[in-house]
């Protein structure tokens, strides 16, 4: 079964760092782009960025460039999203998702992780 | 950055009715670069349509997509109880952006 499994919920304080993960299985992890999507409480979907695990080619939404870091470790089929200094406004659910077409970031995102809820509060 | 505007914000319909959802782009989008997703509360989004009109694997044929240029449409021909959800369009041509969503609720 093709699936993405994300790390569990996090509760952090402002200023703390955080790295959440997304582990792929059931397919060739290095062949498909993985994206990250933010959903703030009660709000819509926001695309954050995307990475090609084979060579770590990464593209960010202008809204998130410099705010987060997307990375991947192909040896363990895992993509990451990290913050160096969290803010209360980072409170949200974060989804990873696989682009449907191998090798290219096209044709939509067909496999999604279950989401990781991050709560940032003092 | 391409902005996608979805309308209406909320659609109140009864099971069996037809739903027509609109997605308008701030500049022209290639038809091959437009997708639609469904999201239910507490769940991850699900890919419905890609390439503006191609149904994703396992999506019933009551869902159809169309459009070109800057105007795209998702039609649900006969609403089933499980179709009441929020729907998002997404373009993945020049970068990626999502529309703000349309909630389809039971009337």
């Amino acid at each position: 079964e093709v699936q993405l499994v994300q790390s569990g919920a996090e509760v952090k304080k402002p200023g703390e760092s955080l790295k959440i993960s997304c582990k792929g299985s059931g397919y060739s992890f290095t062949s498909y782009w993985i994206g990250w999507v933010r959903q703030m409480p009660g709000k819509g979907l926001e695309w954050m960025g995307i990475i090609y695990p084979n060579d770590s080619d990464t593209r960010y939404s202008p809204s998130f460039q410099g705010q987060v870091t997307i990375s991947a470790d192909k040896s363990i089929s895992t993509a990451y999203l990290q913050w160096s200094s969290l803010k209360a406004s980072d409170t949200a659910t974060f989804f990873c998702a696989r682009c449907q077409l191998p090798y290219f970031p096209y044709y939509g995102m067909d496999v999604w992780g279950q989401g990781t809820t991050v709560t940032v509060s003092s | 950055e391409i902005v996608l505007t979805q309308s209406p914000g909320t659609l109140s319909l009864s099971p069996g009715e037809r739903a027509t959802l609109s997605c308008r782009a701030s500049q022209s989008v290639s038809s091959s670069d437009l997708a639609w997703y469904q999201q239910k509360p507490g769940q991850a989004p699900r890919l419905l349509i890609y390439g503006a009109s191609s149904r994703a694997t396992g999506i019933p044929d009551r869902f159809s997509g169309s459009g070109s240029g800057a105007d795209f449409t998702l039609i649900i021909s006969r609403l089933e109880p499980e179709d009441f959800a929020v729907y998002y369009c997404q373009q993945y041509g020049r970068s990626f952006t999502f529309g703000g969503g349309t909630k389809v609720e039971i009337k």
Side-chain angles (χ1 to χ4, degrees):
Chain A
E1 180 191 5
V2 175
Q3 59 179 351
L4 296 172
V5 178
Q6 297 185 230
S7 50
E10 301 273 2
V11 179
K12 307 292 280 186
K13 289 181 165 45
E16 292 185 332
S17 63
L18 176 65
K19 191 173 189 177
I20 63 175
S21 66
C22 169
K23 183 174 178 60
S25 62
Y27 73 98
S28 175
F29 185 75
T30 54
S31 298
Y32 292 79
W33 291 75
I34 295 282
W36 286 95
V37 175
R38 182 175 79 173
Q39 188 165 41
M40 299 179 77
K43 302 299 184 183
L45 305 174
E46 300 173 272
W47 182 74
M48 302 176 72
I50 198 164
I51 188 165
Y52 188 57
N54 191 50
D55 61 6
S56 290
D57 182 8
T58 307
R59 306 172 190 181
Y60 292 93
S61 161
S63 300
F64 291 93
Q65 178 84 48
Q67 308 304 308
V68 296
T69 300
I70 293 170
S71 61
D73 184 341
K74 62 183 179 182
S75 70
I76 55 171
S77 301
T78 301
Y80 300 98
L81 177 65
Q82 69 180 88
W83 296 259
S84 58
S85 181
L86 287 160
K87 304 182 285 289
S89 57
D90 291 317
T91 294
T93 297
F94 297 88
F95 295 100
C96 63
R98 185 190 81 162
C99 289
Q100 180 171 215
L101 195 66
Y103 314 119
F104 299 98
Y106 300 142
Y107 285 4
M109 306 172 94
D110 66 336
V111 180
W112 290 69
Q114 81 276 21
T116 296
T117 298
V118 175
T119 303
V120 184
S121 174
S122 54
Chain B
E1 185 176 83
I2 296 176
V3 176
L4 300 179
T5 302
Q6 292 188 240
S7 62
T10 302
L11 203 48
S12 298
L13 295 168
S14 300
E17 289 194 296
R18 177 186 179 96
T20 302
L21 288 68
S22 173
C23 175
R24 177 161 291 176
S26 59
Q27 52 189 285
S28 185
V29 174
S30 170
S31 296
S32 62
D33 297 340
L34 197 286
W36 290 91
Y37 299 84
Q38 175 194 69
Q39 188 181 31
K40 297 179 182 178
Q43 295 184 17
R46 177 172 72 144
L47 178 65
L48 298 175
I49 300 286
Y50 64 94
S53 60
S54 297
R55 275 186 298 277
T57 302
I59 302 303
D61 60 7
R62 64 179 181 273
F63 291 92
S64 63
S66 64
S68 63
D71 288 296
F72 297 88
T73 301
L74 175 70
I75 290 176
I76 311 170
S77 59
R78 293 174 308 280
L79 283 163
E80 297 287 341
E82 62 269 26
D83 298 336
F84 291 92
V86 181
Y87 293 83
Y88 296 94
C89 58
Q90 180 200 37
Q91 68 83 23
Y92 44 84
R94 289 173 244 179
S95 188
F96 287 61
T97 49
F98 287 98
T102 291
K103 181 179 182 180
V104 178
E105 66 175 22
I106 298 176
K107 186 174 181 180

